[in-house]
Amino acid sequence: MLNAMIWALACFGVVAADIALSVVLFSVLDAVSVLTGYPIDNLDIQWFQAAAQTASFLMALLWWRYLWPRSFLARRQGERQLGGGASAAWKRIVCVVVIGLSMQVVISYLCDGVLSLLPEVAADYSELVEETGMGDTNLLAVLTTVLGAPFCEELLVRGVIFEFSLRAFNPQCRPLWKRRRRVNAQDGAIVPWAAPNTWGVAAAIVLQAAVFGFMHMNWVQGCYAGAAGLIFGWVLVTTGKLRYTILLHFAFNAGSYLMALLWFVNTPLDVTITVAIAGVILVEAMRSLRQACQQSAATTSTAFPH
């Protein structure tokens, strides 16, 4: 229990570090504004977000590079590599993109349906979207949402925070993360450890999803980000590679700009049918991804249970 509490607090500590980094960055920009005499309020909020995102990405990258050699993902990739050549890789890529787009459709319409029942919450969220520029469609906003966020948040959440979440619920794996940094991830094969159990992996997926929702600092985004985080975590466990969750995040965020293509979905019946179809596609794409990963695995030995 103590181990779980310590590493769970570490997960939220990562969020606190990210927030502190943004505060420091904005303080520096404010100081520069005073020294130069250029009003900081004249800058578009998207530039602030891009700067904060860049700083967060660099922090997450350095942190993850430090953790990687003794991480669960490094151990897993050393024991179970995805093979199958280019055709298998493209199949996995298509499955991940379809998961992201269909998930966006399901979550968007479900979120709209819930907000329609909570007009005060919907009004507050609309005001937040306008103030923070989340609804902007200019080039910088699209780049930070579609490209910046996937790299930054996946390294931070599915990288660092998910690693800490796994440690919280799998204390039997302590010999791996206690070991000093090694040169090659494959060297982890010589470290004796017990593989994470199914319950421990599932609990880790839930914890990182909860932290991911908390990071968004508002109820609406927190709820749908938390729900999306469950699938992000599942894709990471299934593929064992961050590149696929980055691609998934890209498809999910890009899908928010593509929702306008469903202009013909107007009535409650239309929405119900659309969500049902997208839900079936989502489940089928997840099943296909799991099957593709199992078939292309180089060995039957896994560090993560399925």
Side-chain angles (χ1 to χ4, degrees):
M1 179 62 71
L2 180 60
N3 178 80
M5 291 179 61
I6 291 173
W7 285 109
L9 288 175
C11 291
F12 286 96
V14 175
V15 180
D18 188 51
I19 294 174
L21 182 63
S22 296
V23 171
V24 171
L25 176 64
F26 291 146
S27 298
V28 171
L29 291 176
D30 190 46
V32 171
S33 173
V34 172
L35 293 174
T36 60
Y38 183 82
I40 198 171
D41 293 337
N42 288 353
L43 293 176
D44 191 302
I45 191 172
Q46 293 296 338
W47 286 105
F48 285 105
Q49 293 180 348
Q53 196 175 78
T54 301
S56 180
F57 169 76
L58 293 175
M59 180 188 73
L61 180 61
L62 293 174
W63 205 337
W64 180 236
R65 282 178 61 86
Y66 172 78
L67 289 174
W68 163 254
R70 50 189 172 181
S71 68
F72 287 85
L73 287 183
R75 177 64 183 244
R76 182 186 190 276
Q77 290 182 21
E79 296 187 355
R80 182 177 183 271
Q81 300 179 4
L82 294 178
S87 60
W90 276 110
K91 182 177 181 180
R92 294 191 294 268
I93 289 172
V94 170
C95 287
V96 168
V97 171
V98 172
I99 290 172
L101 294 176
S102 57
M103 183 168 55
Q104 177 63 244
V105 173
V106 172
I107 289 180
S108 291
Y109 281 122
L110 289 180
C111 186
D112 288 345
V114 172
L115 287 178
S116 67
L117 302 176
L118 303 169
E120 292 185 2
V121 176
D124 291 341
Y125 181 62
S126 296
E127 183 178 351
L128 176 66
V129 170
E130 184 176 351
E131 290 178 352
T132 59
M134 286 190 291
D136 292 351
T137 56
N138 59 64
L139 180 60
L140 184 59
V142 173
L143 288 177
T144 55
T145 300
V146 177
L147 291 179
F151 282 96
C152 175
E153 294 178 0
E154 290 310 304
L155 277 174
L156 198 64
V157 181
R158 254 61 64 179
V160 178
I161 291 176
F162 189 51
E163 172 67 19
F164 288 173
S165 299
L166 284 166
R167 295 181 181 188
F169 299 107
N170 295 278
Q172 74 275 16
C173 304
R174 189 174 286 107
L176 177 63
W177 73 70
K178 284 285 186 181
R179 190 171 187 268
R180 292 183 178 180
R181 287 172 58 85
R182 54 183 181 273
V183 178
N184 297 312
Q186 290 76 11
D187 294 342
I190 67 175
V191 182
W193 74 312
N197 56 52
T198 302
W199 180 88
V201 173
I205 290 176
V206 173
L207 176 57
Q208 62 84 31
V211 176
F212 185 50
F214 173 78
M215 285 178 61
H216 288 77
M217 298 299 178
N218 67 83
W219 282 106
V220 177
Q221 281 188 300
C223 288
Y224 75 69
L230 294 174
I231 297 181
F232 287 170
W234 179 87
V235 169
L236 180 62
V237 168
T238 301
T239 62
K241 294 183 180 294
L242 271 174
R243 69 186 67 169
Y244 287 109
T245 62
I246 292 173
L247 177 63
L248 175 62
H249 205 143
F250 165 81
F252 180 74
N253 284 7
S256 64
Y257 292 99
L258 300 177
M259 288 295 293
L261 298 176
L262 300 178
W263 55 268
F264 51 85
V265 180
N266 297 311
T267 68
L269 179 59
D270 293 338
V271 172
T272 302
I273 294 175
T274 302
V275 170
I277 294 174
V280 171
I281 294 174
L282 173 61
V283 172
E284 179 60 24
M286 292 175 68
R287 186 196 66 79
S288 298
L289 177 63
R290 180 177 179 179
Q291 185 181 54
C293 290
Q294 289 176 337
Q295 290 177 347
S296 61
T299 65
T300 57
S301 164
T302 64
F304 288 87
H306 286 273

